[in-house]
Amino acid sequence: NMIYIATITGKLGHCEYDIGNLDKALKIFNEELSLFKQAKDNIGIAMAEGDIGMTVLRTGDLEQALNHFKTKYTISKKNDSKRMILQALGNIALIYNIRGEYEQSLEIYKEVLMIAEDTYDLRSQAQTYNNKGIIFKNKGQFKDALSSYDKLLKIALKIGDKNEESNSYDGMATVYHRTQKFKQSVKLHLKAIKIEKEINDKNGLASSYCNLSLTFFDMGKIDDAKTHL
């Protein structure tokens, strides 16, 4: 069965991708694409295009990655695969974020939210509000950033997603830091740290402690800043 062989080929590609063998992964993902094309499996073709896109993205070729993600989007839309459309749009927005083309990202996130709300996909909604919060923060639109993080928090609490809950606290804390509302910033960083300890999120903890130290430093509390480094 050609589809079965193509699926197994894709899984082998992911094994190589996960250990950083990008050249091997790319070769295997191209084989996956060829097999799905032979099988005339459009969803498989879209999936393989996404696999190739993620691999070339890791090599730094943004333009080629974008082309593959756009192809994935076009095929997914024709086949009305909401899950694949959301994946493709998320990938395209990621490229625009890397390039600093924030307005284009925000336009894409509008479509993502429409689909995610239509399909009651709360996790995709949460991720999108987090991404929008980051963009607004980078643009200095702090009111919009806080609004996005607040929406993220409400969804995170509703679905019991501790990781996204800590992301919302961290996001709001960094906004309050940048607007010099230091007490609110400290309070929210400590909330995030408490959760990150609970779920053993080492990367999140490192980031939160670093941001907390910077907040104390800007408050003139040098000893507290040193304690949390």
Side-chain angles (χ1 to χ4, degrees):
N1 184 301
M2 191 71 74
I3 293 173
Y4 176 74
I5 295 167
T7 303
I8 294 299
T9 302
K11 286 182 178 178
L12 289 171
H14 280 285
C15 290
E16 296 292 352
Y17 177 90
D18 289 343
I19 59 174
N21 290 340
L22 300 183
D23 288 341
K24 271 190 179 181
L26 193 55
K27 186 180 176 185
I28 294 170
F29 287 141
N30 275 299
E31 287 173 20
E32 176 198 18
L33 178 60
S34 176
L35 289 165
F36 276 126
K37 281 181 176 177
Q38 288 175 56
K40 295 179 179 169
D41 182 328
N42 288 327
I43 296 299
I45 292 167
M47 195 161 56
E49 288 283 358
D51 289 338
I52 294 167
M54 287 306 294
T55 308
V56 294
L57 176 59
R58 272 184 71 180
T59 68
D61 192 337
L62 299 183
E63 198 58 42
Q64 196 183 340
L66 184 59
N67 289 336
H68 284 291
F69 294 144
K70 283 181 175 178
T71 302
K72 176 177 179 175
Y73 171 74
T74 303
I75 297 168
S76 301
K77 189 138 188 174
K78 279 181 186 173
N79 289 271
D80 198 32
S81 173
K82 296 287 197 293
R83 182 177 62 85
M84 299 284 277
I85 291 168
L86 286 173
Q87 285 176 4
L89 288 171
N91 294 144
I92 292 166
L94 174 64
I95 301 278
Y96 289 136
N97 283 344
I98 293 168
R99 287 177 170 180
E101 296 170 9
Y102 297 134
E103 292 306 322
Q104 283 172 282
S105 286
L106 289 171
E107 280 303 308
I108 289 167
Y109 287 139
K110 279 183 191 174
E111 188 175 351
V112 171
L113 282 172
M114 277 175 61
I115 297 167
E117 285 166 7
D118 223 30
T119 56
Y120 304 101
D121 185 343
L122 291 171
R123 291 198 183 279
S124 290
Q125 289 177 47
Q127 288 165 5
T128 304
Y129 282 123
N130 189 34
N131 291 334
K132 284 183 73 175
I134 292 165
I135 289 173
F136 285 132
K137 184 172 61 180
N138 289 340
K139 290 180 72 187
Q141 293 177 226
F142 299 125
K143 190 177 177 183
D144 291 326
L146 286 173
S147 174
S148 292
Y149 287 131
D150 185 57
K151 287 171 183 171
L152 166 62
L153 177 60
K154 283 173 180 163
I155 294 170
L157 291 171
K158 187 174 184 178
I159 62 177
D161 189 324
K162 291 288 187 182
N163 185 54
E164 291 292 12
E165 186 184 347
S166 70
N167 283 340
S168 71
Y169 293 139
D170 266 331
M172 286 188 271
T174 53
V175 171
Y176 283 130
H177 181 177
R178 287 181 63 179
T179 53
Q180 298 190 328
K181 293 176 180 175
F182 298 126
K183 285 183 181 177
Q184 289 100 314
S185 180
V186 169
K187 186 179 175 183
L188 287 163
H189 275 314
L190 291 172
K191 273 192 169 188
I193 286 166
K194 186 182 176 188
I195 293 169
E196 286 153 0
K197 284 179 178 176
E198 281 175 24
I199 61 174
N200 197 28
D201 178 4
K202 291 177 183 176
N203 289 333
L205 270 173
S207 175
S208 292
Y209 276 127
C210 183
N211 286 325
L212 181 60
S213 291
L214 288 170
T215 305
F216 279 131
F217 184 82
D218 286 345
M219 290 172 80
K221 296 186 174 183
I222 308 302
D223 287 341
D224 285 328
K226 286 177 183 176
T227 302
H228 292 94
L229 274 174

